[in-house]
């Protein structure tokens, strides 16, 4: 099985720091407490912020590989660093994501900046595809795991209910997650016969630092009140992390 094999965890958080970072890392650490019980597990943490990657890696006994996932050269080098230290990855967890809260027409009547939309889609969708294509290419070249039905690896992506439920001011984020959901379905079919499982979790709003930063904006908070009732409350961060871990 995939137990005790190598995982590449992709964080790649946005540049903006905030006061909740310490809480996030505590929650993230609790979500990975299974590593303590599996000393053979080897984890590489990819993040655009070197300090953040090193903090998480040090806490879980992993390897920090700083890079920007939208930069193919930097990403390739980071994956090579991880493979040189740990061997080829059997597990990929795509966690990175950013969002904006911006109506397509602003209060002053001006159109929303196209750059905002492009940045969200580039990180959430194109970045995820970039990592997945490079890691899966390595996975499919690996021999199947013993005592399995040809299993070579697994990829777990982070989608969102935003892909299915409308959210005012979240056009870029919703589009990126809807695109991710469609991409995952296609990739799952494409690589199933090669022994690589590709799946996604689709959580509702979760109390992560990214969401907390967004909710600190009065305009964003007002937009959230226009969401469907099931999207107006925040879930807790640690259970979301555990959801990735127990997914089969």
């Amino acid at each position: 099985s995939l137990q005790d094999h190598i995982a590449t965890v992709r964080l790649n958080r946005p540049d903006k720091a905030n006061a909740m970072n310490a809480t996030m890392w505590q929650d993230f650490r609790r979500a990975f407490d299974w590593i303590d019980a599996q000393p053979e597990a080897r984890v590489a943490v990819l993040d655009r912020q070197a300090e953040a990657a090193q903090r998480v890696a040090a806490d879980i006994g992993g390897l920090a590989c700083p890079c920007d996932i939208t930069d193919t050269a930097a990403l390739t080098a980071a994956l090579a660093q991880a493979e040189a230290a740990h061997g080829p990855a059997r597990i990929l967890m795509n966690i990175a994501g950013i969002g904006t809260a911006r109506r397509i027409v602003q209060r002053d009547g001006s159109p929303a900046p196209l750059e905002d939309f492009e940045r969200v889609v580039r990180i959430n969708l194109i970045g995820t595809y970039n990592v997945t294509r490079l890691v899966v290419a390595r996975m499919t070249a690996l021999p199947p795991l013993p005592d399995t039905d040809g299993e070579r690896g697994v990829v777990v992506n982070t989608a969102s209910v935003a892909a299915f439920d409308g959210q005012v001011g979240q056009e870029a984020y919703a589009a990126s997650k809807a695109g991710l959901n469609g991409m995952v379905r296609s990739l799952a079919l494409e690589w199933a016969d090669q022994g690589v499982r590709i799946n996604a979790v689709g959580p509702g709003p979760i109390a992560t630092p990214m969401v907390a930063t967004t909710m600190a904006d009065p305009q964003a908070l007002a937009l959230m009140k226009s969401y469907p009732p099931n999207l107006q409350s925040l879930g807790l961060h640690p259970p979301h992390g555990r959801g990735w871990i127990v997914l089969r």
Side-chain angles (χ1 to χ4, degrees):
S1 72
L2 287 170
Q3 184 176 356
D4 297 339
H5 281 276
I6 301 151
T8 298
V9 179
R10 181 177 67 84
L11 299 180
N12 212 74
R13 297 178 302 115
D15 292 330
K16 186 172 183 179
N18 62 74
M20 291 188 66
N21 279 346
T23 300
M24 185 192 80
W25 298 127
Q26 292 170 6
D27 290 346
F28 191 84
R29 177 62 183 86
R30 284 195 291 270
F32 279 86
D33 59 8
W34 59 277
I35 293 177
D36 289 337
Q38 301 182 66
E40 297 303 317
R42 289 160 284 171
V43 180
V45 181
L46 278 60
D47 194 311
R48 69 191 305 171
Q49 294 187 34
E51 182 180 348
Q54 291 163 0
R55 186 185 313 158
V56 174
D59 200 21
I60 63 176
L63 173 69
C65 302
C67 74
D68 183 337
I69 59 167
T70 65
D71 181 337
T72 298
L75 174 59
T76 300
L79 292 174
Q81 177 188 356
E83 186 167 334
H86 291 164
R90 294 280 190 176
I91 305 166
L92 170 64
M93 294 172 61
N94 286 316
I95 307 173
I98 64 170
T100 60
R102 193 181 294 274
R103 292 176 182 265
I104 194 170
V105 178
Q106 305 299 287
R107 290 184 178 182
D108 62 3
S110 63
L114 181 60
E115 294 77 13
D116 283 2
F117 191 96
E118 289 178 331
R119 180 169 179 264
V120 172
V121 172
R122 181 160 184 80
I123 292 176
N124 295 6
L125 180 57
I126 298 176
T128 296
Y129 177 81
N130 201 23
V131 181
T132 301
R133 71 185 183 93
L134 295 176
V135 173
V136 170
R138 289 169 163 82
M139 283 184 184
T140 55
L142 298 174
L145 291 165
D147 302 321
T148 69
D149 187 19
E151 190 171 31
R152 287 184 167 87
V154 61
V155 179
V156 183
N157 298 280
T158 308
S160 170
V161 294
F164 314 103
D165 294 323
Q167 298 176 0
V168 176
Q170 294 290 332
E171 290 84 0
Y173 186 77
S176 71
K177 294 302 183 179
L180 175 63
N181 188 58
M183 181 182 76
V184 166
R185 289 174 179 270
S186 296
L187 290 174
L189 293 172
E190 183 175 336
W191 293 108
D193 64 350
Q194 298 295 319
V196 177
R197 278 184 293 119
I198 301 180
N199 214 323
V201 292
I206 303 296
T208 63
M210 181 186 78
V211 173
T213 299
T214 302
M215 291 299 99
D217 181 350
Q219 183 178 357
L221 191 59
L223 288 176
M224 189 172 183
K225 294 180 180 179
S226 67
Y227 293 177
N230 63 312
L231 297 179
Q232 292 185 16
S233 59
L234 299 179
L236 298 178
H237 188 209
H240 177 47
R242 291 182 186 279
W244 286 315
I245 294 167
V246 301
L247 195 66
R248 292 289 187 267

